[in-house]
Protein backbone atom coordinates (compact mmCIF):
# COMPACT_ATOMS: atom_id res chain seq x y z
CA UNK A 1 0.00 0.00 0.00
CA UNK A 2 1.31 3.47 -0.94
CA UNK A 3 1.21 5.99 1.86
CA UNK A 4 1.64 9.67 1.02
CA UNK A 5 4.15 11.74 2.92
CA UNK A 6 1.35 14.00 4.09
CA UNK A 7 -0.57 11.06 5.64
CA UNK A 8 2.46 9.95 7.59
CA UNK A 9 2.34 13.11 9.63
CA UNK A 10 0.58 13.03 12.96
CA UNK A 11 -2.91 14.37 12.29
CA UNK A 12 -4.19 17.38 14.09
CA UNK A 13 -7.84 17.26 15.00
CA UNK A 14 -10.02 20.06 16.22
CA UNK A 15 -12.40 18.75 18.88
CA UNK A 16 -14.97 21.31 17.71
CA UNK A 17 -15.08 19.73 14.21
CA UNK A 18 -16.46 16.34 13.22
CA UNK A 19 -14.30 13.37 12.23
CA UNK A 20 -16.99 11.06 10.91
CA UNK A 21 -14.72 8.14 9.84
CA UNK A 22 -12.56 8.54 12.92
CA UNK A 23 -9.32 8.45 10.89
CA UNK A 24 -7.77 11.37 12.70
CA UNK A 25 -8.60 13.95 9.98
CA UNK A 26 -11.52 16.31 10.46
CA UNK A 27 -14.17 16.21 7.80
CA UNK A 28 -13.31 19.73 6.55
CA UNK A 29 -9.91 18.51 5.29
CA UNK A 30 -10.78 14.86 4.64
CA UNK A 31 -11.46 14.18 0.96
CA UNK A 32 -13.02 10.89 2.03
CA UNK A 33 -14.80 11.66 5.33
CA UNK A 34 -16.57 8.28 5.32
CA UNK A 35 -13.48 6.18 4.47
CA UNK A 36 -11.04 5.71 7.28
CA UNK A 37 -8.39 4.38 4.86
CA UNK A 38 -8.21 7.60 2.79
CA UNK A 39 -8.32 11.28 3.44
CA UNK A 40 -6.26 12.99 0.69
CA UNK A 41 -6.77 13.16 -3.12
CA UNK A 42 -3.84 15.28 -4.33
CA UNK A 43 -4.58 15.00 -8.04
CA UNK A 44 -8.36 15.29 -7.68
CA UNK A 45 -9.07 12.13 -9.65
CA UNK A 46 -11.39 10.65 -7.01
CA UNK A 47 -8.84 8.05 -5.92
CA UNK A 48 -7.22 8.55 -2.56
CA UNK A 49 -3.49 8.97 -2.50
CA UNK A 50 -3.01 5.71 -0.53
CA UNK A 51 -4.45 3.65 -3.38
CA UNK A 52 -3.59 5.93 -6.37
CA UNK A 53 -0.52 4.75 -8.38
CA UNK A 54 -0.10 8.36 -9.56
CA UNK A 55 -1.37 10.33 -6.59
CA UNK A 56 0.05 13.71 -7.54
CA UNK A 57 -0.86 15.97 -10.45
CA UNK A 58 1.61 15.95 -13.41
CA UNK A 59 4.66 18.15 -12.94
CA UNK A 60 4.76 18.98 -16.66
CA UNK A 61 7.45 19.69 -19.21
CA UNK A 62 9.38 22.88 -19.98
CA UNK A 63 10.05 24.22 -23.47
CA UNK A 64 11.04 27.45 -25.14
CA UNK A 65 7.93 28.74 -26.85
CA UNK A 66 9.42 29.19 -30.36
CA UNK A 67 12.12 27.39 -32.29
CA UNK A 68 13.45 30.71 -33.61
CA UNK A 69 13.24 34.43 -32.97
CA UNK A 70 14.20 37.44 -35.10
CA UNK A 71 15.12 40.91 -33.89
CA UNK A 72 16.70 44.01 -35.42
CA UNK A 73 20.25 44.81 -34.41
CA UNK A 74 19.17 48.16 -32.97
CA UNK A 75 16.57 46.55 -30.71
CA UNK A 76 17.46 46.83 -27.04
CA UNK A 77 16.89 43.16 -26.22
CA UNK A 78 14.98 40.04 -27.17
CA UNK A 79 12.52 38.32 -24.84
CA UNK A 80 12.28 34.53 -25.03
CA UNK A 81 9.20 32.87 -23.56
CA UNK A 82 9.69 29.63 -21.62
CA UNK A 83 6.50 27.62 -21.06
CA UNK A 84 5.49 24.84 -18.68
CA UNK A 85 2.90 22.56 -20.25
CA UNK A 86 1.06 19.30 -19.52
CA UNK A 87 1.17 19.85 -15.78
CA UNK A 88 2.17 22.47 -13.23
CA UNK A 89 2.29 20.64 -9.92
CA UNK A 90 5.02 21.59 -7.49
CA UNK A 91 8.05 23.79 -7.73
CA UNK A 92 10.51 23.08 -10.56
CA UNK A 93 13.55 24.75 -12.10
CA UNK A 94 15.57 24.76 -15.33
CA UNK A 95 18.93 26.26 -16.27
CA UNK A 96 19.54 28.32 -19.43
CA UNK A 97 22.57 29.68 -21.29
CA UNK A 98 23.34 31.51 -24.54
CA UNK A 99 25.96 30.37 -27.08
CA UNK A 100 27.56 31.90 -30.17
CA UNK A 101 26.54 30.93 -33.67
CA UNK A 102 27.52 33.57 -36.24
CA UNK A 103 26.97 36.33 -33.68
CA UNK A 104 29.65 36.89 -31.04
CA UNK A 105 28.94 37.32 -27.34
CA UNK A 106 29.89 40.73 -25.91
CA UNK A 107 30.15 42.07 -29.47
CA UNK A 108 26.70 41.44 -30.93
CA UNK A 109 24.76 40.44 -27.81
CA UNK A 110 25.26 40.21 -24.07
CA UNK A 111 25.79 36.58 -22.97
CA UNK A 112 23.25 35.32 -20.44
CA UNK A 113 22.92 32.28 -18.20
CA UNK A 114 21.00 31.41 -15.08
CA UNK A 115 18.12 29.42 -13.58
CA UNK A 116 14.39 29.83 -14.03
CA UNK A 117 12.17 28.73 -11.11
CA UNK A 118 8.52 27.85 -11.65
CA UNK A 119 6.45 27.90 -8.49
CA UNK A 120 3.59 25.46 -8.02
CA UNK A 121 0.99 26.14 -10.77
CA UNK A 122 3.28 28.66 -12.52
CA UNK A 123 3.41 28.05 -16.27
CA UNK A 124 5.41 30.89 -17.84
CA UNK A 125 8.81 32.57 -17.46
CA UNK A 126 10.96 34.75 -19.74
CA UNK A 127 14.64 35.05 -20.62
CA UNK A 128 15.86 38.50 -21.67
CA UNK A 129 18.98 38.80 -23.82
CA UNK A 130 20.39 42.34 -24.28
CA UNK A 131 21.58 43.22 -27.82
CA UNK A 132 24.67 45.26 -28.70
CA UNK A 133 24.34 47.53 -31.75
CA UNK A 134 27.30 48.84 -33.76
CA UNK A 135 27.88 50.89 -36.91
CA UNK A 136 29.76 48.17 -38.81
CA UNK A 137 28.01 46.16 -41.49
CA UNK A 138 28.31 42.45 -40.70
CA UNK A 139 25.19 41.00 -42.29
CA UNK A 140 22.56 39.04 -40.40
CA UNK A 141 23.95 37.05 -37.46
CA UNK A 142 22.60 34.56 -34.94
CA UNK A 143 23.12 32.99 -31.52
CA UNK A 144 21.34 30.25 -29.57
CA UNK A 145 19.79 29.87 -26.13
CA UNK A 146 19.40 26.37 -24.66
CA UNK A 147 17.69 24.88 -21.60
CA UNK A 148 19.27 22.19 -19.41
CA UNK A 149 19.40 20.62 -15.95
CA UNK A 150 15.70 20.44 -15.06
CA UNK A 151 14.88 19.85 -11.40
CA UNK A 152 11.73 18.95 -9.43
CA UNK A 153 10.51 16.09 -11.60
CA UNK A 154 9.85 18.19 -14.67
CA UNK A 155 11.22 17.16 -18.08
CA UNK A 156 12.42 19.11 -21.11
CA UNK A 157 9.91 19.52 -23.92
CA UNK A 158 10.50 19.25 -27.64
CA UNK A 159 11.91 22.78 -27.96
CA UNK A 160 14.83 22.86 -25.56
CA UNK A 161 16.86 25.40 -27.59
CA UNK A 162 16.13 28.27 -29.95
CA UNK A 163 18.02 30.34 -32.48
CA UNK A 164 17.90 34.13 -32.31
CA UNK A 165 18.59 35.93 -35.61
CA UNK A 166 19.89 39.50 -35.44
CA UNK A 167 18.83 41.41 -38.56
CA UNK A 168 21.49 43.88 -39.77
CA UNK A 169 20.38 47.51 -39.66
CA UNK A 170 23.45 49.14 -41.23
CA UNK A 171 23.66 49.79 -45.00
CA UNK A 172 25.63 47.38 -47.18
CA UNK A 173 29.05 48.89 -48.01
CA UNK A 174 30.04 49.40 -51.64
CA UNK A 175 31.81 46.56 -53.41
CA UNK A 176 33.75 49.04 -55.54
CA UNK A 177 34.63 49.74 -59.16
CA UNK A 178 37.17 47.63 -61.10
CA UNK A 179 39.52 49.45 -63.48
CA UNK A 180 43.05 49.48 -64.84
CA UNK A 181 45.46 51.79 -63.04
CA UNK A 182 46.31 53.56 -66.32
CA UNK A 183 44.51 54.51 -69.54
CA UNK A 184 47.22 52.84 -71.67
CA UNK A 185 50.56 51.11 -71.35
CA UNK A 186 53.71 50.83 -73.44
CA UNK A 187 56.75 48.60 -73.30
CA UNK A 188 59.85 47.80 -75.34
CA UNK A 189 59.69 44.76 -77.61
CA UNK A 190 62.71 43.19 -75.91
CA UNK A 191 61.07 43.31 -72.45
CA UNK A 192 60.33 39.87 -71.02
CA UNK A 193 56.76 40.85 -70.06
CA UNK A 194 54.50 43.71 -69.09
CA UNK A 195 52.63 43.80 -65.78
CA UNK A 196 49.26 45.59 -65.68
CA UNK A 197 47.72 46.71 -62.41
CA UNK A 198 43.97 46.33 -61.89
CA UNK A 199 42.53 48.51 -59.12
CA UNK A 200 39.40 48.28 -56.98
CA UNK A 201 38.27 51.79 -56.06
CA UNK A 202 35.31 53.43 -54.31
CA UNK A 203 34.64 50.44 -52.06
CA UNK A 204 36.16 47.07 -51.17
CA UNK A 205 33.38 45.13 -49.42
CA UNK A 206 33.10 41.40 -50.02
CA UNK A 207 34.76 39.04 -52.45
CA UNK A 208 34.77 40.19 -56.09
CA UNK A 209 35.98 38.47 -59.28
CA UNK A 210 36.62 39.74 -62.80
CA UNK A 211 37.69 37.90 -65.96
CA UNK A 212 40.40 39.15 -68.33
CA UNK A 213 41.77 38.26 -71.75
CA UNK A 214 44.11 39.65 -74.38
CA UNK A 215 43.06 40.50 -77.96
CA UNK A 216 45.05 41.27 -81.12
CA UNK A 217 45.31 44.72 -82.62
CA UNK A 218 48.34 45.24 -84.87
CA UNK A 219 50.32 42.90 -82.61
CA UNK A 220 49.57 39.20 -82.99
CA UNK A 221 49.36 36.67 -80.16
CA UNK A 222 51.95 33.94 -80.47
CA UNK A 223 54.27 36.18 -82.50
CA UNK A 224 54.48 39.49 -80.64
CA UNK A 225 53.08 38.56 -77.23
CA UNK A 226 51.77 35.51 -75.39
CA UNK A 227 47.99 35.11 -75.25
CA UNK A 228 46.70 35.21 -71.63
CA UNK A 229 43.28 34.93 -69.98
CA UNK A 230 41.93 34.13 -66.53
CA UNK A 231 40.09 35.44 -63.48
CA UNK A 232 41.25 37.90 -60.83
CA UNK A 233 39.84 37.46 -57.30
CA UNK A 234 39.70 40.38 -54.88
CA UNK A 235 38.96 39.17 -51.36
CA UNK A 236 37.10 41.41 -48.91
CA UNK A 237 39.14 44.59 -48.40
CA UNK A 238 41.60 43.84 -51.23
CA UNK A 239 42.10 46.71 -53.71
CA UNK A 240 44.84 45.65 -56.15
CA UNK A 241 45.67 42.75 -58.49
CA UNK A 242 48.03 42.34 -61.45
CA UNK A 243 47.99 40.74 -64.90
CA UNK A 244 51.31 39.72 -66.48
CA UNK A 245 51.56 39.37 -70.27
CA UNK A 246 54.77 37.76 -71.64
CA UNK A 247 56.27 39.44 -74.74
CA UNK A 248 57.88 37.72 -77.75
CA UNK A 249 60.85 39.51 -79.29
CA UNK A 250 62.06 38.92 -82.85
CA UNK A 251 64.76 40.28 -85.15
CA UNK A 252 62.37 41.60 -87.79
CA UNK A 253 61.58 45.26 -88.06
CA UNK A 254 57.79 45.70 -87.87
CA UNK A 255 57.39 49.11 -86.34
CA UNK A 256 55.43 49.78 -83.17
CA UNK A 257 52.52 47.38 -82.61
CA UNK A 258 49.69 47.10 -80.11
CA UNK A 259 47.27 44.65 -78.49
CA UNK A 260 44.50 45.09 -75.91
CA UNK A 261 43.63 43.58 -72.55
CA UNK A 262 39.92 43.41 -71.76
CA UNK A 263 38.10 43.01 -68.42
CA UNK A 264 34.67 41.35 -68.30
CA UNK A 265 32.13 39.36 -66.25
CA UNK A 266 32.61 41.07 -62.90
CA UNK A 267 30.94 39.24 -60.00
CA UNK A 268 30.27 40.09 -56.34
CA UNK A 269 28.50 43.43 -56.70
CA UNK A 270 31.34 45.50 -58.18
CA UNK A 271 31.13 47.35 -61.51
CA UNK A 272 33.54 47.96 -64.40
CA UNK A 273 34.83 51.29 -65.64
CA UNK A 274 34.18 51.90 -69.34
CA UNK A 275 35.94 51.28 -71.63
CA UNK A 276 36.66 47.85 -70.20
CA UNK A 277 39.85 47.35 -72.21
CA UNK A 278 43.16 49.19 -72.59
CA UNK A 279 45.80 49.30 -75.33
CA UNK A 280 49.37 48.10 -74.82
CA UNK A 281 51.91 49.45 -77.28
CA UNK A 282 55.02 47.36 -78.05
CA UNK A 283 57.80 49.74 -79.10
CA UNK A 284 59.98 48.38 -81.92
CA UNK A 285 63.60 47.81 -80.87
CA UNK A 286 64.97 46.81 -84.29
CA UNK A 287 66.58 49.37 -86.63
CA UNK A 288 64.55 50.51 -89.63
CA UNK A 289 65.82 49.11 -92.96
CA UNK A 290 65.97 52.71 -94.21
CA UNK A 291 68.76 53.41 -91.79
CA UNK A 292 70.94 50.85 -93.59
CA UNK A 293 70.70 52.40 -97.09
CA UNK A 294 74.03 53.69 -98.48
CA UNK A 295 74.05 55.89 -101.56
CA UNK A 296 76.62 57.42 -103.92
CA UNK A 297 76.24 61.11 -103.22
CA UNK A 298 78.26 61.88 -106.33
CA UNK A 299 75.87 60.06 -108.62
CA UNK A 300 74.30 62.18 -111.29
CA UNK A 301 70.58 62.60 -111.44
CA UNK A 302 70.86 61.92 -115.18
CA UNK A 303 71.92 58.33 -114.44
CA UNK A 304 75.63 58.76 -115.18
CA UNK A 305 77.83 56.00 -113.81
CA UNK A 306 74.75 53.72 -113.44
CA UNK A 307 74.02 54.71 -109.79
CA UNK A 308 70.43 55.18 -108.58
CA UNK A 309 69.34 58.53 -107.29
CA UNK A 310 69.15 58.56 -103.45
CA UNK A 311 65.50 59.69 -103.49
CA UNK A 312 64.59 56.79 -105.75
CA UNK A 313 66.30 54.29 -103.44
CA UNK A 314 64.52 55.80 -100.41
CA UNK A 315 61.16 55.47 -102.15
CA UNK A 316 61.76 51.87 -103.19
CA UNK A 317 62.91 50.73 -99.75
CA UNK A 318 59.99 52.39 -98.02
CA UNK A 319 57.54 50.81 -100.45
CA UNK A 320 59.14 47.39 -100.07
CA UNK A 321 59.00 47.50 -96.24
CA UNK A 322 55.36 48.63 -96.19
CA UNK A 323 54.31 46.02 -98.74
CA UNK A 324 56.12 43.20 -96.90
CA UNK A 325 54.46 44.08 -93.58
CA UNK A 326 51.04 44.17 -95.24
CA UNK A 327 51.56 40.70 -96.71
CA UNK A 328 52.78 39.33 -93.39
CA UNK A 329 49.78 40.70 -91.48
CA UNK A 330 47.37 39.42 -94.14
CA UNK A 331 48.92 35.97 -93.93
CA UNK A 332 48.53 35.94 -90.15
CA UNK A 333 44.86 36.85 -90.39
CA UNK A 334 44.18 34.09 -92.95
CA UNK A 335 45.89 31.51 -90.77
CA UNK A 336 43.74 32.57 -87.80
Amino acid sequence: MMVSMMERKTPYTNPLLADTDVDGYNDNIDAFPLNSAEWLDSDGDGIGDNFDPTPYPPVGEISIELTSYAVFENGNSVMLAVKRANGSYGEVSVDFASADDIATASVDYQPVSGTLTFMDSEISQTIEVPLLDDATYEGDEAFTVALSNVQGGVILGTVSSTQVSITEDDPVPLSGVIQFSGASYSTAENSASIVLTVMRVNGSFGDVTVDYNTADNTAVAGEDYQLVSGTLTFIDGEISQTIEVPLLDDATYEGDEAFTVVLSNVQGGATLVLPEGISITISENESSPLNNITTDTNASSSGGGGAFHPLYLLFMMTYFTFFSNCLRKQKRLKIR
Side-chain angles (χ1 to χ4, degrees), residues 186-201:
S186 64
T187 182
E189 182 182 14
N190 58 355
S191 298
S193 64
I194 181 169
V195 177
L196 315 176
T197 301
V198 181
M199 304 296 295
R200 183 183 187 184
V201 299

Side-chain angles (χ1 to χ4, degrees), residues 15-247:
L16 299 180
L17 297 177
D19 179 12
T20 303
D21 57 7
V22 195
D23 62 357
Y25 297 93
N26 291 334
D27 292 353
N28 65 318
I29 62 171
D30 193 339
F32 305 93
L34 302 180
N35 184 351
S36 60
E38 294 282 7
W39 75 277
L40 187 63
D41 183 12
S42 297
D43 57 7
D45 62 358
I47 303 174
D49 289 358
N50 289 337
F51 295 94
D52 192 343
T54 56
Y56 303 109
V59 178
E61 59 184 40
I62 294 180
S63 296
I64 300 176
E65 185 175 30
L66 301 175
T67 57
S68 63
Y69 291 79
V71 61
F72 283 103
E73 182 182 15
N74 58 0
N76 292 325
S77 63
V78 58
M79 306 293 290
L80 313 179
V82 180
K83 299 295 185 179
R84 182 183 186 183
N86 301 324
S88 61
Y89 178 76
E91 180 179 313
V92 299
S93 65
V94 61
D95 294 344
F96 64 90
S98 59
D100 290 353
D101 190 339
I102 304 173
T104 303
S106 301
V107 175
D108 303 303
Y109 70 97
Q110 190 65 47
V112 296
S113 62
T115 301
L116 298 177
T117 299
F118 292 78
M119 304 302 294
D120 181 47
S121 299
E122 191 173 16
I123 60 172
S124 181
Q125 290 273 5
T126 57
I127 301 171
E128 182 176 11
V129 184
L131 302 177
L132 303 175
D133 192 10
D134 57 36
T136 302
Y137 180 86
E138 301 168 302
D140 294 347
E141 300 177 294
F143 63 92
T144 61
V145 175
L147 304 178
S148 63
N149 189 33
V150 288
Q151 300 291 329
V154 71
I155 63 174
L156 286 176
T158 56
V159 184
S160 60
S161 66
T162 188
Q163 183 179 69
V164 180
S165 297
I166 304 174
T167 303
E168 179 62 71
D169 66 334
D170 297 306
V172 180
L174 298 176
S175 296
V177 178
I178 305 298
Q179 64 183 40
F180 287 102
S181 61
S184 62
Y185 292 80
S186 64
T187 182
E189 182 182 14
N190 58 355
S191 298
S193 64
I194 181 169
V195 177
L196 315 176
T197 301
V198 181
M199 304 296 295
R200 183 183 187 184
V201 299
N202 300 331
S204 61
F205 175 75
D207 293 350
V208 168
T209 63
V210 62
D211 296 342
Y212 65 89
N213 65 275
T214 54
D216 289 353
N217 192 346
T218 51
V220 177
E223 295 183 16
D224 303 306
Y225 71 96
Q226 188 66 50
L227 177 73
V228 296
S229 63
T231 300
L232 299 177
T233 298
F234 294 80
I235 63 173
D236 182 47
E238 191 172 17
I239 60 172
S240 178
Q241 288 277 2
T242 59
I243 301 170
E244 183 173 9
V245 183
L247 302 177

